[in-house]
Amino acid sequence: MKKKYAKKRDQNKATAKEHMASLLKQAEEIFNKNKTLANRYVKLAREIAMKFKCRFTSEQRRKFCKHCYSFLMPNKNCRVRTRDGMLIHYCLECKNYNRYKYK
Ligand SMILES: [Zn+2]
């Protein structure tokens, strides 16, 4: 199984990216019902990202806190502000700031 993985690495990377995107989408959908499960999806997505050395897109990176990796839902567990052309997400779970460039 592992050898097969090595041969098809590029293909697997594409599959991994799709999987990461779908996990984050599912996390978003489940968040209102089950926050713990949403966080678990984020964790799984990160594990896939690390295993296949994939990066999250900037859009995907904004969906979770980079300190505690909780799924962030504006007005639920995160406060969104803009300042000096930066988008600031204040995570209410771990009380840390996440800053992103604002387009
Ligand atoms: Zn946090």
PDB file of all heavy atoms in Angstrom, residues 2-13:
ATOM      1  N   LYS A   2       1.920   1.242   0.796  1.00  0.00           N
ATOM      2  CA  LYS A   2       2.758   2.435   0.911  1.00  0.00           C
ATOM      3  C   LYS A   2       3.519   2.721  -0.381  1.00  0.00           C
ATOM      4  O   LYS A   2       3.700   3.864  -0.762  1.00  0.00           O
ATOM      5  CB  LYS A   2       3.738   2.288   2.075  1.00  0.00           C
ATOM      6  CG  LYS A   2       3.141   2.801   3.374  1.00  0.00           C
ATOM      7  CD  LYS A   2       4.172   2.956   4.447  1.00  0.00           C
ATOM      8  CE  LYS A   2       3.528   3.564   5.678  1.00  0.00           C
ATOM      9  NZ  LYS A   2       4.398   3.525   6.840  1.00  0.00           N
ATOM     10  N   LYS A   3       3.974   1.664  -1.054  1.00  0.00           N
ATOM     11  CA  LYS A   3       4.704   1.832  -2.312  1.00  0.00           C
ATOM     12  C   LYS A   3       3.807   2.457  -3.372  1.00  0.00           C
ATOM     13  O   LYS A   3       4.233   3.317  -4.125  1.00  0.00           O
ATOM     14  CB  LYS A   3       5.225   0.474  -2.798  1.00  0.00           C
ATOM     15  CG  LYS A   3       6.575   0.139  -2.204  1.00  0.00           C
ATOM     16  CD  LYS A   3       7.076  -1.198  -2.712  1.00  0.00           C
ATOM     17  CE  LYS A   3       8.333  -1.599  -1.965  1.00  0.00           C
ATOM     18  NZ  LYS A   3       8.722  -2.983  -2.258  1.00  0.00           N
ATOM     19  N   LYS A   4       2.603   1.968  -3.398  1.00  0.00           N
ATOM     20  CA  LYS A   4       1.632   2.486  -4.346  1.00  0.00           C
ATOM     21  C   LYS A   4       1.435   3.990  -4.122  1.00  0.00           C
ATOM     22  O   LYS A   4       1.330   4.757  -5.067  1.00  0.00           O
ATOM     23  CB  LYS A   4       0.305   1.759  -4.113  1.00  0.00           C
ATOM     24  CG  LYS A   4      -0.541   1.631  -5.364  1.00  0.00           C
ATOM     25  CD  LYS A   4      -1.735   0.761  -5.041  1.00  0.00           C
ATOM     26  CE  LYS A   4      -2.737   0.795  -6.162  1.00  0.00           C
ATOM     27  NZ  LYS A   4      -3.976   0.111  -5.777  1.00  0.00           N
ATOM     28  N   TYR A   5       1.423   4.380  -2.858  1.00  0.00           N
ATOM     29  CA  TYR A   5       1.253   5.781  -2.489  1.00  0.00           C
ATOM     30  C   TYR A   5       2.382   6.632  -3.056  1.00  0.00           C
ATOM     31  O   TYR A   5       2.152   7.699  -3.577  1.00  0.00           O
ATOM     32  CB  TYR A   5       1.236   5.917  -0.960  1.00  0.00           C
ATOM     33  CG  TYR A   5      -0.145   6.067  -0.392  1.00  0.00           C
ATOM     34  CD1 TYR A   5      -1.083   5.062  -0.566  1.00  0.00           C
ATOM     35  CD2 TYR A   5      -0.517   7.203   0.308  1.00  0.00           C
ATOM     36  CE1 TYR A   5      -2.354   5.191  -0.054  1.00  0.00           C
ATOM     37  CE2 TYR A   5      -1.776   7.337   0.824  1.00  0.00           C
ATOM     38  CZ  TYR A   5      -2.699   6.325   0.649  1.00  0.00           C
ATOM     39  OH  TYR A   5      -3.962   6.448   1.159  1.00  0.00           O
ATOM     40  N   ALA A   6       3.599   6.136  -2.944  1.00  0.00           N
ATOM     41  CA  ALA A   6       4.766   6.899  -3.387  1.00  0.00           C
ATOM     42  C   ALA A   6       4.712   7.134  -4.898  1.00  0.00           C
ATOM     43  O   ALA A   6       5.038   8.217  -5.371  1.00  0.00           O
ATOM     44  CB  ALA A   6       6.031   6.157  -3.008  1.00  0.00           C
ATOM     45  N   LYS A   7       4.283   6.133  -5.623  1.00  0.00           N
ATOM     46  CA  LYS A   7       4.214   6.253  -7.080  1.00  0.00           C
ATOM     47  C   LYS A   7       3.191   7.290  -7.506  1.00  0.00           C
ATOM     48  O   LYS A   7       3.398   8.008  -8.459  1.00  0.00           O
ATOM     49  CB  LYS A   7       3.826   4.900  -7.684  1.00  0.00           C
ATOM     50  CG  LYS A   7       5.016   4.067  -8.095  1.00  0.00           C
ATOM     51  CD  LYS A   7       4.517   2.803  -8.778  1.00  0.00           C
ATOM     52  CE  LYS A   7       5.627   1.762  -8.816  1.00  0.00           C
ATOM     53  NZ  LYS A   7       5.100   0.457  -9.267  1.00  0.00           N
ATOM     54  N   LYS A   8       2.118   7.283  -6.803  1.00  0.00           N
ATOM     55  CA  LYS A   8       1.018   8.157  -7.217  1.00  0.00           C
ATOM     56  C   LYS A   8       0.968   9.422  -6.373  1.00  0.00           C
ATOM     57  O   LYS A   8      -0.098   9.936  -6.100  1.00  0.00           O
ATOM     58  CB  LYS A   8      -0.309   7.398  -7.082  1.00  0.00           C
ATOM     59  CG  LYS A   8      -0.448   6.250  -8.049  1.00  0.00           C
ATOM     60  CD  LYS A   8      -1.828   5.671  -7.904  1.00  0.00           C
ATOM     61  CE  LYS A   8      -2.075   4.604  -8.952  1.00  0.00           C
ATOM     62  NZ  LYS A   8      -3.392   4.010  -8.784  1.00  0.00           N
ATOM     63  N   ARG A   9       2.109   9.910  -5.996  1.00  0.00           N
ATOM     64  CA  ARG A   9       2.121  11.028  -5.046  1.00  0.00           C
ATOM     65  C   ARG A   9       1.371  12.265  -5.549  1.00  0.00           C
ATOM     66  O   ARG A   9       0.590  12.863  -4.819  1.00  0.00           O
ATOM     67  CB  ARG A   9       3.554  11.392  -4.689  1.00  0.00           C
ATOM     68  CG  ARG A   9       3.612  12.379  -3.528  1.00  0.00           C
ATOM     69  CD  ARG A   9       5.006  12.496  -2.964  1.00  0.00           C
ATOM     70  NE  ARG A   9       5.349  11.359  -2.150  1.00  0.00           N
ATOM     71  CZ  ARG A   9       6.587  10.965  -1.899  1.00  0.00           C
ATOM     72  NH1 ARG A   9       7.596  11.585  -2.433  1.00  0.00           N
ATOM     73  NH2 ARG A   9       6.827   9.932  -1.135  1.00  0.00           N
ATOM     74  N   ASP A  10       1.631  12.619  -6.801  1.00  0.00           N
ATOM     75  CA  ASP A  10       0.987  13.823  -7.333  1.00  0.00           C
ATOM     76  C   ASP A  10      -0.526  13.688  -7.372  1.00  0.00           C
ATOM     77  O   ASP A  10      -1.248  14.605  -7.018  1.00  0.00           O
ATOM     78  CB  ASP A  10       1.508  14.126  -8.735  1.00  0.00           C
ATOM     79  CG  ASP A  10       2.929  14.655  -8.674  1.00  0.00           C
ATOM     80  OD1 ASP A  10       3.341  15.061  -7.563  1.00  0.00           O
ATOM     81  OD2 ASP A  10       3.609  14.659  -9.692  1.00  0.00           O
ATOM     82  N   GLN A  11      -0.931  12.522  -7.795  1.00  0.00           N
ATOM     83  CA  GLN A  11      -2.362  12.260  -7.866  1.00  0.00           C
ATOM     84  C   GLN A  11      -2.975  12.311  -6.473  1.00  0.00           C
ATOM     85  O   GLN A  11      -4.046  12.864  -6.271  1.00  0.00           O
ATOM     86  CB  GLN A  11      -2.574  10.893  -8.483  1.00  0.00           C
ATOM     87  CG  GLN A  11      -3.956  10.720  -9.080  1.00  0.00           C
ATOM     88  CD  GLN A  11      -4.165   9.294  -9.545  1.00  0.00           C
ATOM     89  OE1 GLN A  11      -3.216   8.633  -9.949  1.00  0.00           O
ATOM     90  NE2 GLN A  11      -5.373   8.825  -9.469  1.00  0.00           N
ATOM     91  N   ASN A  12      -2.233  11.735  -5.532  1.00  0.00           N
ATOM     92  CA  ASN A  12      -2.713  11.719  -4.159  1.00  0.00           C
ATOM     93  C   ASN A  12      -2.800  13.122  -3.576  1.00  0.00           C
ATOM     94  O   ASN A  12      -3.661  13.412  -2.765  1.00  0.00           O
ATOM     95  CB  ASN A  12      -1.799  10.869  -3.278  1.00  0.00           C
ATOM     96  CG  ASN A  12      -2.143   9.395  -3.404  1.00  0.00           C
ATOM     97  OD1 ASN A  12      -3.307   9.051  -3.493  1.00  0.00           O
ATOM     98  ND2 ASN A  12      -1.153   8.556  -3.413  1.00  0.00           N
ATOM     99  N   LYS A  13      -1.870  13.968  -3.996  1.00  0.00           N
ATOM    100  CA  LYS A  13      -1.868  15.338  -3.513  1.00  0.00           C
ATOM    101  C   LYS A  13      -3.149  16.047  -3.942  1.00  0.00           C
ATOM    102  O   LYS A  13      -3.772  16.758  -3.163  1.00  0.00           O
ATOM    103  CB  LYS A  13      -0.648  16.074  -4.060  1.00  0.00           C
ATOM    104  CG  LYS A  13       0.001  16.947  -3.033  1.00  0.00           C
ATOM    105  CD  LYS A  13       1.333  17.440  -3.509  1.00  0.00           C
ATOM    106  CE  LYS A  13       1.905  18.376  -2.489  1.00  0.00           C
ATOM    107  NZ  LYS A  13       3.254  18.805  -2.805  1.00  0.00           N
TER     108      LYS A  13
END
